[in-house]
Amino acid sequence: MDSHSISKRFSTSLVFNILRGVMTLTTSIMLARLLGPDDFGRMAFLIASFVAFKSLVDMYSSHAFFTFLSKETRSRNFVSIYWCWMAFELIFSLILVGLLLPSSFVANIWHNENRLLVVLALSATFFQQSAWQVACQMAEANRSTIAMQKLGFCIVLSHLLFVLFLNHFGQLTLTIIFIGVSIEWGIGTYYAARMYKASGDKNDSLSSVLSEFWVYCKPLIPLAWLSFLYAFLDRWMLQLWGGSKEQAYYAVASNFVMIILLATASIIRIFWKEIAEAYHQGNIDKVYRLYQKTTRLLYFIGAFLAGCCIPWASEILAIAVGDDYIAGNITFMLMLLYPVHQSLGQIVGVVFFATEKGRLQAILGAGFMIISMFVSYYVLAPTDAVIPGLSMSSEGLAWKMLVMQFIQVNFNFYVAARIFNWKYEWAYQFYVLGGAILIAYLVKFLLADYFASLYVTFSLSLICYSLIVVFLLHKFPAQISGITRKELNVYLSKFGVR
């Protein structure tokens, strides 16, 4: 099979993302146990705050960069100019946080954390969440998915070994963890970026490149700044009114969410590349086929995985991170549902970005973010505040994320259907997800009293649940996953299944 084909790139990406996801989750579980809820919550808040800060300085330039690379091969000068911009982002951020911001401001925003630790968290987040992501975009634009995934696997494995090494010698501190992350992902960024083969064309001048980015990013800049406030205030209010423990409950749930999003993470850059190229070539039929099949398949996968975990949420928490985190059980259950619709939101967002409808994405995103920030305050604020809230801590934030995302995703789907003259499909969201959860609970209920061992009960429940879902998928493939029976048979035949 051609290593540049969509199916080959997706299957390889999925395998490596599963391996990376398992190792990343294992590392997060280890850190949650070894650091405890307080320190793990502090680390989670520092990382989350700078992930939000990324939107403020990036201003969707990375989205523009990948879209431009996906449409056609760009020059070395074009790539160099963008990496100069990335270097400016890092230097500006380090000077701002490390030197310019008053100590009182740093103490209030990051809740009395040491300034050096804050700067190290900024550096680690930049290399892992910004620089590495841009380098991966370059590799994917060159369809070097397999090589990039192997490199990512090596980095995650090295981080796991690094954490084990630190714990063995009693040096597992946030300071050393952040330094290690910066080095690991900095090295990975260098080698991933080298996978892109730029053209020798020298026509990309500084002024032309800046103009190209300005046209793409201008309508998105207000959305970027609003995205920063939206993401930062959620976690800041949770830290302020809930404390490090509630932050830790939310962070643990978010780490498990990444497992359910593995399929989406595996396809998202491939999907973006193919959509941008197809739209650039005027092949709208291909855009729709990719959009329809990808959304339905990812939703089914997310619903299936959510069904695997939700009935066993408290047991998973107790085994994975210990009894210290059991108080976050409801938060954990709610967040397991979050990635099911998040995958749809990412796909429809990619369609808007890849087809250069940035202004529309900005308007839609800004409206929902503004509403969401008010809802966040209401569910998180204390009952005795000047404007009283519900004081629901991490559970309230999880409810807010779940409900607001469901509304936003379906509204964006409706808008996309109107713009591209596609059919707006919504019914499958209820019967696929509802059916998966109902089957999972029924299986657990029927098997719960037959075996004394929790591990035996869970394993048999998972097997029975999977067999029932596979049977239904085989009987009703198009209704459940959007794949026709013929396509399903062709796929199964590759594994020797008839």
Side-chain angles (χ1 to χ4, degrees):
M1 184 184 294
D2 182 7
S3 63
H4 287 174
S5 70
I6 296 177
S7 59
K8 178 64 174 178
R9 286 151 60 205
F10 171 65
S11 59
T12 303
S13 184
L14 180 59
V15 169
F16 276 103
N17 273 327
I18 290 173
L19 294 174
R20 286 174 54 188
V22 170
M23 284 192 293
T24 300
L25 182 60
T26 301
T27 305
S28 298
I29 289 173
M30 287 174 51
L31 289 173
R33 278 183 171 274
L34 296 171
L35 294 175
D38 287 324
D39 283 347
F40 186 70
R42 288 171 55 212
M43 183 181 74
F45 172 64
L46 286 169
I47 294 173
S49 66
F50 286 114
V51 170
F53 184 72
K54 169 190 171 184
S55 298
L56 188 65
V57 295
D58 179 76
M59 293 179 288
Y60 286 98
S61 62
S62 59
H63 291 68
F65 182 64
F66 187 43
T67 300
F68 298 152
L69 291 185
S70 297
K71 291 194 296 185
E72 56 186 347
T73 304
R74 302 304 297 260
S75 68
R76 296 185 184 88
N77 200 39
F78 177 87
V79 174
S80 298
I81 290 171
Y82 186 74
W83 277 108
C84 287
W85 165 253
M86 291 290 294
F88 171 77
E89 284 185 27
L90 176 60
I91 295 170
F92 168 79
S93 301
L94 290 174
I95 292 175
L96 177 67
V97 176
L99 299 175
L100 299 182
L101 291 179
S103 298
S104 58
F105 183 84
V106 173
N108 287 329
I109 293 297
W110 286 285
H111 302 283
N112 297 311
E113 292 289 359
N114 178 273
R115 188 188 288 262
L116 175 61
L117 184 64
V118 174
V119 169
L120 291 175
L122 186 160
S123 174
T125 306
F126 174 83
F127 282 107
Q128 183 177 21
Q129 301 293 334
S130 296
W132 167 254
Q133 298 301 323
V134 169
C136 288
Q137 290 175 343
M138 294 177 64
E140 183 55 52
N142 199 57
R143 293 192 171 97
S144 299
T145 307
I146 298 175
M148 180 264 292
Q149 289 291 346
K150 290 179 179 178
L151 177 60
F153 173 82
C154 292
I155 297 171
V156 173
L157 177 60
S158 68
H159 183 61
L160 174 59
L161 296 175
F162 179 64
V163 170
L164 290 172
F165 177 82
L166 292 178
N167 182 61
H168 178 73
F169 289 98
Q171 299 297 318
L172 190 63
T173 64
L174 297 186
T175 299
I176 299 179
I177 290 172
F178 287 142
I179 292 174
V181 169
S182 296
I183 295 172
E184 292 161 0
W185 293 101
I187 295 172
T189 295
Y190 171 77
Y191 284 104
R194 288 172 59 89
M195 295 178 190
Y196 184 72
K197 307 300 181 183
S199 69
D201 186 9
K202 300 294 183 181
N203 292 331
D204 286 318
S205 64
L206 177 61
S207 59
S208 66
V209 171
L210 292 178
S211 176
E212 194 173 3
F213 274 88
W214 176 250
V215 171
Y216 186 102
C217 296
K218 180 181 178 181
L220 294 169
I221 291 175
L223 179 63
W225 294 343
L226 193 60
S227 298
F228 161 70
L229 285 175
Y230 165 76
F232 179 79
L233 286 177
D234 271 6
R235 301 300 286 267
W236 185 79
M237 288 189 289
L238 179 60
Q239 186 76 8
L240 177 66
W241 292 318
S244 294
K245 286 188 176 180
E246 290 292 335
Q247 192 79 243
Y249 300 154
Y250 190 83
V252 166
S254 298
N255 287 329
F256 275 89
V257 160
M258 294 300 103
I259 295 296
I260 301 179
L261 280 172
L262 285 177
T264 305
S266 302
I267 194 66
I268 197 72
R269 291 192 187 94
I270 300 171
F271 180 77
W272 194 325
K273 161 67 180 176
E274 301 302 328
I275 288 289
E277 186 175 82
Y279 186 77
H280 182 64
Q281 296 171 351
N283 192 346
I284 304 301
D285 288 339
K286 182 179 179 180
V287 172
Y288 175 69
R289 289 196 306 272
L290 288 170
Y291 170 78
Q292 193 268 343
K293 291 186 180 300
T294 303
T295 52
R296 293 293 300 273
L297 181 59
L298 289 179
Y299 190 83
F300 163 71
I301 294 173
F304 169 77
L305 294 175
C308 289
C309 301
I310 288 175
W312 301 91
S314 59
E315 291 88 348
I316 292 172
L317 272 182
I319 294 171
V321 291
D323 293 336
D324 289 341
Y325 292 84
I326 289 296
N329 180 47
I330 300 299
T331 301
F332 183 58
M333 290 180 66
L334 293 172
M335 289 301 291
L336 288 173
L337 288 170
Y338 178 70
V340 182
H341 277 86
Q342 187 181 19
S343 62
L344 300 187
Q346 290 185 19
I347 292 300
V348 73
V350 163
V351 170
F352 288 144
F353 282 123
T355 57
E356 300 188 35
K357 291 178 170 51
R359 183 178 181 83
L360 173 64
Q361 178 73 353
I363 294 172
L364 294 175
F368 277 95
M369 285 182 191
I370 292 171
I371 296 171
S372 185
M373 283 189 282
F374 284 105
V375 176
S376 293
Y377 176 87
Y378 180 64
V379 298
L380 292 173
T383 55
D384 59 353
V386 176
I387 302 176
L390 297 177
S391 190
M392 294 177 67
S393 297
S394 60
E395 182 181 334
L397 187 57
W399 270 115
K400 189 272 302 190
M401 297 291 286
L402 192 62
V403 174
M404 291 300 298
Q405 181 177 242
F406 174 79
I407 297 172
Q408 182 181 11
V409 164
N410 278 279
F411 186 78
N412 286 1
F413 264 49
Y414 175 76
V415 171
R418 291 294 299 271
I419 291 174
F420 295 103
N421 197 28
W422 296 338
K423 182 181 178 182
Y424 169 51
E425 299 178 324
W426 56 270
Y428 69 91
Q429 297 176 39
F430 294 96
Y431 66 74
V432 172
L433 179 59
I437 295 175
L438 178 62
I439 292 170
Y441 269 107
L442 284 174
V443 170
K444 180 183 180 182
F445 174 76
L446 293 173
L447 296 178
D449 297 330
Y450 283 94
F451 304 97
S453 171
L454 171 63
Y455 297 100
V456 173
T457 305
F458 174 73
S459 300
L460 290 177
S461 295
L462 185 59
I463 293 171
C464 292
Y465 166 72
S466 301
L467 290 175
I468 294 171
V469 171
V470 169
F471 172 78
L472 292 174
L473 178 62
H474 186 263
K475 287 294 184 181
F476 312 102
Q479 294 86 344
I480 294 177
S481 66
I483 298 176
T484 65
R485 185 176 301 279
K486 181 179 179 181
E487 291 171 329
L488 180 62
N489 290 336
V490 169
Y491 181 76
L492 292 176
S493 67
K494 296 177 181 178
F495 298 91
V497 180
R498 299 293 179 183

